[in-house]
């Protein structure tokens, strides 16, 4: 009897230990599973957070314009978009038409447009239809601080800086529109109804600037690959940045935009100096020389010491091909 009781107690103890072992194993598996699930949820939460942050960054990233890195076509486009939004009227008509075609910019004189302003530069007339327009602006100064005066016909709507225009457009997220129009912008166009050329011819007694300098010339010697345009007629020079000069046969004139021309040889190259009335050739004068490089007719622009500022070519393609290239026969 005592032996049987001992056996029963042993069996009971064994069963109890087995049950405890299973319970412990079950609890351990449950704990591991819970821990795995918690870890997985935390990871998913982290992944979602990263995705949300990336999405937020993408949403807040827009193309931006830089007033200090803007070529002349982009500048014209930016001014047009700004004026269209700020003032509407004929500016809005010009921009809307340009979206379907091209943004044409004509260089006109103040006398021809009837604009009275202290600015002695050209009047830039903007059109999206190829016809003369009342959307006009004038430039003064350089770089991001360049002053832009906006007109509707002869009415002065106000003056602001290029950097303020760019800040306004960036705030409106209009950089892409500006760049799209810039690609379709044409400078120094002749708009239908623009009679400047005829008036200039009728008022000119004779051609002053030699034909070897005349025409539209292009350079990419800007340091950043942008294209600058130089336009020379028989009596006028315009470098697209706002500088212009009416070249007279005599060294006297009544306007600060008038200048005279003299010929001089520097470093073996025959230059023509263009100097404002009342001044003598030297610092501040523009020196241009018809020349030949790589078998192509070019214009060399230099300072009074003959150091080359830029080489202008007959096409934009040639200008880009020879961007910032230095030639052995020129002084730099």
């Amino acid at each position: 009897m005592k032996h049987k009781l001992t056996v029963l107690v042993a069996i009971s103890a064994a069963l109890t230990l087995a049950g405890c072992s299973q319970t412990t194993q079950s609890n351990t598996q449950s704990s591991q599973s819970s821990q795995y699930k918690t870890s997985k949820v935390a990871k998913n939460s982290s992944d979602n957070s990263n995705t949300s942050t990336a999405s937020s960054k993408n949403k807040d990233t827009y193309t931006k314009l830089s007033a200090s890195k803007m070529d002349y076509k982009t500048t014209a486009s930016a001014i047009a978009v700004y004026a269209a939004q700020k003032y509407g009227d004929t500016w809005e008509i010009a921009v809307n038409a340009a979206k379907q075609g091209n943004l044409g910019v004509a260089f006109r004189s103040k006398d021809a447009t009837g604009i009275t302003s202290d600015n002695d530069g050209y009047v830039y007339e903007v059109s999206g239809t190829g016809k003369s327009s009342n959307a006009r602006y004038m430039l003064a100064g350089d770089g991001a601080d360049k002053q832009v005066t906006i007109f509707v016909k002869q009415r002065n709507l106000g003056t602001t800086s290029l950097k303020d225009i760019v800040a306004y457009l960036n705030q409106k997220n209009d950089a892409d529109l500006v760049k799209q129009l810039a690609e379709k912008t044409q400078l120094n166009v002749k708009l239908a109804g623009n009679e400047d050329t005829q008036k200039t011819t009728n008022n000119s007694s004779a051609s002053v600037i030699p034909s070897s300098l005349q025409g539209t010339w292009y350079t990419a010697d800007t340091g950043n690959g942008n294209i600058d345009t130089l336009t020379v007629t028989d009596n006028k020079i315009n470098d697209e940045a706002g500088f212009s000069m009416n070249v007279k046969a005599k060294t006297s004139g009544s306007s600060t935009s008038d200048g005279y021309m003299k010929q001089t040889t520097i470093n073996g190259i025959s230059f023509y100096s263009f100097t404002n009335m009342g001044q003598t050739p030297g610092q501040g004068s523009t020196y241009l020389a018809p020349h030949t490089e790589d078998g192509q007719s070019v214009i060399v622009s230099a300072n009074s010491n003959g150091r080359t500022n830029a080489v202008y070519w007959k096409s934009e393609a040639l200008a880009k091909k020879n961007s910032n290239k230095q030639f052995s026969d020129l002084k730099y």
Side-chain angles (χ1 to χ4, degrees):
M1 183 66 177
K2 184 177 180 180
H3 176 72
K4 289 181 178 179
L5 287 173
T6 300
V7 172
L8 288 172
V9 170
I11 292 172
S12 176
L15 290 172
T16 300
L17 289 171
C20 289
S21 176
Q22 288 179 353
T23 300
T24 301
Q25 184 176 2
S26 176
N27 288 340
T28 300
Q29 290 176 344
S30 176
S31 174
Q32 289 175 343
S33 176
S34 175
Q35 190 176 26
Y36 171 73
K37 288 180 179 178
T38 301
S39 175
K40 187 175 182 180
V41 169
K43 185 176 185 300
N44 288 341
S45 176
S46 175
D47 289 345
N48 290 338
S49 175
N50 290 338
T51 302
S52 175
T53 301
S55 175
S56 175
K57 286 182 179 179
N58 289 336
K59 185 177 180 181
D60 293 336
T61 301
Y62 297 98
T63 303
K64 298 292 185 181
L65 298 169
S66 172
S68 61
K69 298 178 181 178
M70 188 173 286
D71 60 26
Y72 296 116
K73 291 184 179 181
T74 308
T75 297
S77 174
I79 293 170
V81 173
Y82 170 83
Q85 291 200 16
K86 197 81 172 176
Y87 303 110
D89 200 88
T90 188
W91 280 100
E92 188 173 6
I93 294 172
V95 168
N96 286 338
K99 291 177 183 178
Q100 309 302 320
N102 295 310
L103 188 71
V105 183
F107 302 160
R108 305 192 66 186
S109 66
K110 289 195 301 181
D111 290 341
T113 59
I115 287 177
T116 57
S117 170
D118 293 335
N119 192 325
D120 290 317
Y122 268 76
V123 176
Y124 298 86
E125 187 168 294
V126 178
S127 174
T129 62
K131 297 180 180 179
S132 186
S133 164
N134 290 327
R136 299 162 176 168
Y137 67 90
M138 297 186 74
L139 301 174
D142 297 304
D145 292 322
K146 182 180 297 180
Q147 297 297 297
V148 183
T149 304
I150 298 172
F151 300 84
V152 168
K153 203 171 183 179
Q154 291 90 13
R155 181 160 54 96
N156 186 330
L157 300 182
T159 300
T160 187
S161 68
L162 182 59
K163 66 181 178 183
D164 286 340
I165 289 176
V166 167
Y168 175 91
L169 294 172
N170 283 337
Q171 185 179 22
K172 297 287 186 180
N173 301 318
D174 280 330
D176 286 337
L177 173 59
V178 170
K179 291 182 178 181
Q180 288 168 11
L181 283 184
E183 291 178 357
K184 301 191 295 181
T185 296
Q186 298 176 342
L187 300 171
N188 197 24
V189 300
K190 297 301 179 184
L191 300 174
N194 181 335
E195 304 300 334
D196 284 11
T197 303
Q198 183 178 354
K199 289 181 179 179
T200 300
T201 302
N202 290 341
N203 293 334
S204 299
S205 58
S207 177
V208 178
I209 303 174
S211 58
S212 57
L213 289 176
Q214 293 179 31
T216 302
W217 305 83
Y218 307 90
T219 185
D221 296 345
T222 55
N224 55 14
N226 293 334
I227 298 292
D228 282 1
T229 304
L230 172 70
T231 305
V232 183
T233 67
D234 54 356
N235 294 87
K236 284 188 177 182
I237 296 177
N238 185 78
D239 70 354
E240 193 182 58
F243 166 80
S244 63
M245 179 180 286
N246 300 311
V247 184
K248 305 293 185 180
K250 298 180 180 179
T251 58
S252 62
S254 58
S255 171
T256 56
S257 63
D258 289 345
Y260 64 95
M261 180 187 74
K262 283 193 172 183
Q263 192 169 11
T264 183
T265 299
I266 309 174
N267 301 328
I269 297 176
S270 181
F271 282 92
Y272 293 90
S273 66
F274 298 88
T275 308
N276 289 326
M277 293 297 181
Q279 297 181 339
T280 57
Q283 189 174 8
S285 299
T286 297
Y287 287 80
L288 303 176
H291 199 57
T292 301
E293 294 291 357
D294 289 346
Q296 299 287 334
S297 295
V298 299
I299 287 182
V300 178
S301 172
N303 62 19
S304 58
N305 294 322
R307 293 189 179 275
T308 304
N309 296 321
V311 177
Y312 287 86
W313 303 78
K314 274 294 188 181
S315 71
E316 291 189 37
L318 285 170
K320 290 179 179 179
K321 178 182 177 182
N322 294 281
S323 176
N324 299 310
K325 184 176 180 181
Q326 294 192 354
F327 297 92
S328 59
D329 60 332
L330 300 179
K331 183 178 178 181
Y332 291 91

